[in-house]
């Protein structure tokens, strides 16, 4: 199997700075490259439906809630891990397409609730089928054992990275180096 770019980068750092251990790049660099490749591979069904980045996230978050498919902007923000400002922009675009509606909360007249329209439910149901089929195809080259191991290892890495740092720089610093910075 040919060497990937990350292996080449590590080899170069070992040559240039033998006093350092660049081996973490073999994992972190590959995860970053993988995230970029996955973004490209996962985007086509959403783009074909005329949805921009993050708009399917709104539709999916509402659909996963079950009937009546409604959440406040704050709840959407929490579920999608984005700011309420980002939610507002996405919701505005989806309202213009007739896929969601915004109404006054029945609980608090000052609050708003975002809900899927019938067209939004239909499109979301169609796209989640396409999305999961696409994801299954992407993972098709892995054995069941590989998938189980990868699920476990990625879960462990996510818990490690997402946990508050105990000391020093690194975990949770909020700054992510691009591969070009490696």
């Amino acid at each position: 199997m040919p060497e990937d770019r990350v292996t080449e980068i590590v080899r170069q750092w070992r040559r240039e700075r033998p006093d350092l251990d660049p081996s973490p790049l073999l994992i972190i660099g590959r995860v970053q490259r993988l995230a970029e490749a996955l973004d490209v591979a996962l985007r086509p069904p959403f783009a074909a439906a005329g949805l921009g980045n993050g708009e399917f996230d709104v539709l999916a978050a509402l659909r996963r809630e079950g009937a009546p498919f409604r959440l406040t902007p704050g709840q959407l923000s929490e579920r999608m891990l984005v700011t309420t400002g980002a939610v507002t922009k996405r919701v505005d675009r989806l309202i213009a397409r007739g896929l969601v509606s915004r109404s006054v909360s029945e609980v608090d007249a000052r609050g708003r609730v975002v809900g899927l329209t019938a067209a939004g439910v239909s499109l979301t149901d169609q796209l989640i089928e396409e999305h999961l089929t696409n994801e299954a195809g992407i993972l098709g080259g892995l054995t069941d054992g590989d998938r189980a191991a990868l699920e476990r290892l990625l879960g462990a890495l996510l818990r490690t990275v997402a946990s508050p740092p105990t000391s020093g720089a690194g975990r949770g610093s909020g700054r992510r180096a691009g591969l070009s910075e490696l």
Side-chain angles (χ1 to χ4, degrees):
M1 176 175 266
E3 193 173 86
D4 67 14
R5 178 75 178 117
V6 177
T7 301
E8 180 183 340
I9 290 169
V10 168
R11 190 178 63 254
Q12 290 170 327
W13 278 122
R14 283 186 174 138
R15 180 191 69 228
E16 295 300 316
R17 291 291 310 269
D19 58 313
L20 298 176
D21 175 16
S23 65
L25 295 174
L26 293 169
I27 296 171
I28 304 299
R30 286 182 177 135
V31 168
Q32 288 178 319
R33 299 245 356 224
L34 182 59
E36 293 166 5
L38 284 173
D39 185 51
V40 170
L42 295 174
R43 188 172 302 181
F46 307 125
L51 296 176
N53 285 351
E55 291 172 356
F56 179 73
D57 289 345
V58 172
L59 298 174
L62 291 167
R63 181 64 179 91
R64 287 191 312 264
E65 283 300 307
F69 314 115
R70 301 165 91 188
L71 291 168
T72 67
Q75 290 169 322
L76 279 169
S77 174
E78 289 172 11
R79 282 163 178 78
M80 297 183 331
L81 304 175
V82 297
T83 66
T84 54
V87 168
T88 298
K89 289 177 185 176
R90 294 172 185 182
V91 167
D92 288 345
R93 289 190 297 263
L94 293 168
I95 287 172
R97 298 244 344 249
L99 299 173
V100 301
S101 63
R102 185 184 291 125
S103 58
V104 176
S105 170
E106 296 170 2
V107 180
D108 178 3
R110 296 170 295 163
R112 299 288 179 257
V113 178
V114 177
L116 281 177
T117 63
V121 171
S122 178
L123 180 62
T124 306
D125 284 349
Q126 172 196 334
L127 286 175
I128 192 60
E129 289 180 29
E130 292 178 34
H131 180 58
L132 293 175
T133 298
N134 190 17
E135 286 187 341
I138 290 168
L139 298 175
L142 300 176
T143 67
D144 289 345
D146 289 342
R147 285 178 66 163
L150 192 54
E151 289 169 16
R152 182 182 56 76
L153 292 169
L154 289 173
L157 180 59
L158 181 59
R159 286 186 299 278
T160 299
V161 173
S163 67
T166 53
S167 68
R171 294 189 329 197
S173 67
R175 169 90 166 75
R176 199 177 84 176
L179 192 56
S180 63
E181 295 178 52
L182 304 176

